Amino acid sequence: MPVSPLSPRAAAALADARPVPFWIDRPERPDPRAALTGAAPRTDLLVVGGGFTGLWAAIQAKEADPSRDVVVVEAARLADGASGRNGGFMAPSLTHGLAQGVGCWPDEMETLDRLATENVAGIERTLTAYGIDADHHVPGELTLALTEHQIPSVRESYELHRAHGVPALLLDAEQARARVDSPRYLAGMYDPEVALVDPARLVWGLARAAESLGVRLHEHTRATRFDTEGDGVRVTLDGGSIHARRVVIGTNASQGVLRRFSAWVLPVYDHVLMTEPLTPGQLDAIGWKGREGLTDAGNQFHYYRRTLDDRVLFGGYDANYHFPGRIDPALEQSDASHGLLADHFLDLFPQLEGIRFTHRWAGVIDTTSRFTPVFGTALGGRMAYAVGYTGLGVASTRFGAAVALDLVDGKDTELTRLEMVRRKPIPFPPEPIRYAAVRATRSSLAAEDRTGRRNLWLRALDRIGVGFDS
């Protein structure tokens, strides 16, 4: 047998961890909806993918036109995919952060900032209108420097946020540790506008809201083929078929729907841990009374947060691409990645030595070369898609769904005129060059984290619009 890569303390911390996402491993999970089988009646709009993008598309379509018949099909169960595996950070940005937006679309940032604010307000209206209890709260986010060379980047981020009207705060080491006590923190920036949610409860709440509007939801229903037929699309399902006048695709990293997605979307595995509930003594030892979401300023960064029942979710750092874009449940459990996370957690919080993790899992991030979604149409405009949120889709999927609806309806709107919508990201090269490029980029980012210096490879990617962020 191969030697386990787990350190003794990581092995102890992970000994009882269940290999499933915490968010869906609960008795409150709804029973699955029936699959769609046989030859289904025609529908005005078929939404493929029952995650955040698909559910937001269905809700917005029905709110705009209550007479429109809308059907959503999900290949697995609701919240099985990325929408139920993420950290629940609801950042308002539509551009994967201000720095990325300014780097890619400086002339549109005023508009994109406004649209981001309107998008967040729309989310909050929906939660209120439909009584969705998703543990939504707005404690803000701390971005923390763990090395001396990360301090300038934290300061630059602070200055950029202030320039764009965000009332951010710059924290020195003492101020950062007064909020959350870790010996690793050297500086920080507080962004008060970042919210946190329970992502699975958000999915389930959006599904109930959609059904209350008359949307029909079907789980365990995979779309396998799309053919133009008459004024619409004949969609072949694994157990039947349906004719739809228009189709919206929101399938995250799944690339079996349209072959063209493989040029723009790279499936990357992200690993996550969830602790047991912290005791009052453990909470006193680390502070964290504001319940802020936390991240660090490296290229290979962690994200972590307190849940409302005082667990700590800890994820990120490793971003694993498997040749040749392989997606497989067997890749979700990794002693190397989960063990590394456990060790990093205890390095950050040595006062929590002896804590146990109750859950360990992974999810696939739909990464694009510019870290923001790719939008477009297919089948002569009968189909539209929005994929590639690169890990920041909890809030921005509502915006992406609105874009896809405008595109599939052939509307000329402020959203469809955005350069971010009209222009595709730089495509990824074919295999095996793609795999080699990913390895080179990952190695270069890790080297920058160690040294603070950006090498020639990363600077070349910067010049062509790739690599502004980790």
Side-chain angles (χ1 to χ4, degrees):
M1 295 291 291
V3 176
S4 171
L6 291 173
S7 69
R9 66 175 183 171
L14 293 167
D16 302 318
R18 289 173 53 77
V20 292
F22 167 80
W23 304 117
I24 61 175
D25 187 31
R26 291 179 288 182
E28 67 200 74
R29 187 179 193 184
D31 293 333
R33 279 79 171 173
L36 182 58
T37 57
R42 290 169 59 98
T43 186
D44 297 323
L45 176 67
L46 178 71
V47 179
V48 180
F52 289 141
T53 300
L55 293 172
W56 280 120
I59 289 170
Q60 291 179 97
K62 288 293 283 186
E63 288 180 336
D65 180 3
S67 68
R68 192 174 196 176
D69 189 68
V70 179
V71 175
V72 177
V73 293
E74 163 59 40
R77 290 184 63 183
L78 297 181
D80 265 354
S83 296
R85 294 171 180 264
N86 62 84
F89 283 66
M90 190 177 276
S93 175
L94 302 177
T95 60
H96 206 273
L98 279 173
Q100 183 72 2
V102 170
C104 291
W105 304 285
D107 296 336
E108 287 187 342
M109 277 310 297
E110 183 177 350
T111 298
L112 291 167
D113 283 345
R114 173 177 54 79
L115 291 172
T117 299
E118 294 172 358
N119 183 61
V120 168
I123 292 171
E124 293 174 349
R125 282 197 307 272
T126 298
L127 297 182
T128 300
Y130 297 99
I132 298 173
D133 180 6
D135 289 349
H136 177 266
H137 54 298
V138 191
E141 180 183 63
L142 288 169
T143 300
L144 298 149
L146 305 184
T147 63
E148 290 290 342
H149 58 256
Q150 289 176 5
I151 295 175
S153 67
V154 168
R155 185 177 297 111
E156 289 169 10
S157 182
Y158 160 76
E159 292 169 352
L160 183 61
H161 279 72
R162 297 289 294 193
H164 283 261
V166 179
L169 299 175
L170 185 64
L171 310 174
D172 61 21
E174 183 178 356
Q175 291 168 323
R177 292 190 60 179
R179 288 176 175 260
V180 186
D181 192 5
S182 169
R184 296 289 310 280
Y185 297 161
L186 303 179
M189 183 200 74
Y190 174 63
D191 177 353
E193 297 185 346
V194 176
L196 297 174
V197 295
D198 179 323
R201 290 177 66 182
L202 179 57
V203 170
W204 301 331
L206 291 175
R208 288 191 298 271
E211 287 176 322
S212 75
L213 294 169
V215 174
R216 301 195 301 283
L217 290 172
H218 297 278
E219 298 176 68
H220 296 300
T221 304
R222 184 181 302 275
T224 59
R225 183 181 174 90
F226 302 88
D227 297 289
T228 57
E229 181 179 293
D231 63 345
V233 182
R234 171 63 59 181
V235 182
T236 302
L237 311 170
D238 49 10
S241 69
I242 185 170
H243 184 278
R245 184 174 178 274
R246 294 292 181 263
V247 177
V248 164
I249 304 292
T251 51
N252 189 55
S254 177
Q255 298 179 357
V257 179
L258 286 179
R259 285 192 297 270
R260 69 184 67 182
F261 288 170
S262 64
W264 299 310
V265 177
L266 198 75
V268 174
Y269 273 86
D270 176 59
H271 291 78
V272 193
L273 301 175
M274 184 72 87
T275 74
E276 61 193 351
L278 272 61
T279 66
Q282 289 171 324
L283 289 171
D284 286 343
I286 61 172
W288 209 347
K289 298 185 186 302
R291 294 184 178 273
E292 302 93 341
L294 308 180
T295 186
D296 46 69
N299 292 309
Q300 292 179 289
F301 62 90
H302 309 89
Y303 56 88
Y304 39 127
R305 57 164 293 190
R306 279 177 66 182
T307 62
L308 293 187
D309 65 347
D310 293 328
R311 299 171 183 268
V312 178
L313 176 144
F314 192 73
Y317 196 79
D318 269 351
N320 297 318
Y321 174 71
H322 299 277
F323 182 86
R326 180 183 168 206
I327 298 175
D328 189 330
L331 301 173
E332 294 175 11
Q333 294 299 316
S334 167
D335 277 358
S337 292
H338 286 130
L340 190 65
L341 281 175
D343 280 325
H344 287 180
F345 181 86
L346 293 170
D347 287 342
L348 282 167
F349 298 120
Q351 61 270 54
L352 298 182
E353 190 74 35
I355 199 167
R356 295 296 188 104
F357 296 99
T358 61
H359 293 77
R360 51 184 285 181
W361 72 92
V364 183
I365 296 174
D366 52 343
T367 303
T368 68
S369 63
R370 70 183 182 200
F371 301 98
T372 55
V374 54
F375 304 97
T377 60
L379 301 182
R382 295 174 174 89
M383 175 187 288
Y385 52 84
V387 295
Y389 297 93
T390 317
L392 260 70
V394 178
S396 61
T397 45
R398 180 185 178 277
F399 166 81
V403 171
L405 288 172
D406 282 354
L407 288 172
V408 83
D409 290 336
K411 294 180 178 178
D412 178 21
T413 66
E414 180 180 39
L415 302 187
T416 61
R417 289 192 295 270
L418 289 169
E419 186 181 0
M420 184 174 75
V421 172
R422 292 185 294 103
R423 293 185 59 188
K424 299 288 193 296
I426 293 173
F428 292 108
E431 296 289 13
I433 300 171
R434 175 180 304 195
Y435 184 74
V438 170
R439 298 280 293 184
T441 304
R442 179 172 172 171
S443 175
S444 297
L445 291 170
E448 184 185 17
D449 282 341
R450 291 192 304 270
T451 65
R453 294 189 295 274
R454 206 161 177 84
N455 64 17
L456 288 174
W457 173 253
L458 294 179
R459 293 200 297 272
L461 294 180
D462 289 342
R463 283 194 292 272
I464 62 172
V466 178
F468 288 106
D469 201 280
S470 55

